[in-house]
Amino acid sequence: MSQSTTRASSAPRASASGPTRVYLLAYNAISFCLWAACVIRGAALVFSLAPNGHLPAIFHHIYSPLLTTTQTLAGLEILHSLLGIVRAPVVTTTMQVASRLLLVWGVMYLFHDRGDGRGGIVGGDFHETLPYGPGAKVGDYAFLGCLAAWGVTECIRYGFFALQVWGSGVPSWWTWLRYNTFYVLYPIGISSECIMVWKALKPAAEWNPLYWWFLVVVLVIYVPGSYILYTHMIAQRRKVIKKKGRAE
């Protein structure tokens, strides 16, 4: 599932030592830069490739090594939680990070078009220099939805934590973005993720029937889980706003 904008996975505990804070500052700053690169490069490619039907080529420009490295790095957040250097609960952090890794490695990697004639649910345009491309598949649009929702959300989240760890204070407008943009970004992200998993069912069945069942279970969990997490984020936002109002 899309990572919550309210999850404090990279916010240090108040008792965190100096070296821990330096590490978390570096981690958040690097993650911010990587996600910013994903968003900026993705946006530039949409404007340059989409008009001529080369939208599928964007996947091959972004996916590896940029997106795979950026998202896999988030696996460290599980370790952060286990070691207790951040305030996030282990179970929640593990579920949210694992769901992203499933999409990146268990869906996009396994079932993208490699140009071998077998096709795939995303990608597949290897001749972007031609005047006109093959046009986009549903999976290509879903990939862009994931990229946009994940990228913008994580830029806001990691930037927020980097400023917080740095101790310079988080601007009010950045706080507003952190606790309000999920209203739009979360539905985009979760629907795009579900579409990616749905489109992967057919090739998964051909690859391994057990993996097909696994993805079916994932989809069944996604629907109620997404609603619960979305309403939880709304409740968390209310708490933050209420707390901020009291402080003022």
Side-chain angles (χ1 to χ4, degrees), residues 7 25 30 38 96-97 174 184 190-191 193 213 231 235 237:
R7 181 163 62 83
L25 175 61
I30 291 172
C38 287
Q96 292 177 335
V97 173
W174 202 305
V184 175
I190 204 68
S191 58
E193 292 172 24
W213 279 109
T231 53
R237 175 185 177 276

Side-chain angles (χ1 to χ4, degrees), residues 8 10 16 20 49-50 64 94 106 112 147-148 154 173 216 222 225 235 240 246:
S10 298
T20 298
L49 296 177
S64 181
T94 301
H112 74 270
L147 183 66
E154 299 298 38
W173 60 269
V216 169
Y222 250 88
V240 171
R246 289 177 179 175

Side-chain angles (χ1 to χ4, degrees), residues 41 45 48-50 52-61 124-134:
R41 182 154 175 73
L45 288 169
S48 63
L49 296 177
N52 295 323
H54 289 292
L55 199 68
I58 296 175
F59 175 82
H60 303 290
H61 283 281
D125 184 353
F126 301 95
H127 305 286
E128 61 193 69
T129 56
L130 295 177
Y132 298 100

Side-chain angles (χ1 to χ4, degrees), residues 4 8 33 54 75 97 103 107 147 150 161 164 187 202 206 214 235:
S4 166
C33 291
H54 289 292
V97 173
L103 264 295
V107 173
L147 183 66
W150 295 355
F161 286 130
Q164 194 176 62
K202 183 178 179 180
E206 298 172 355
F214 170 70

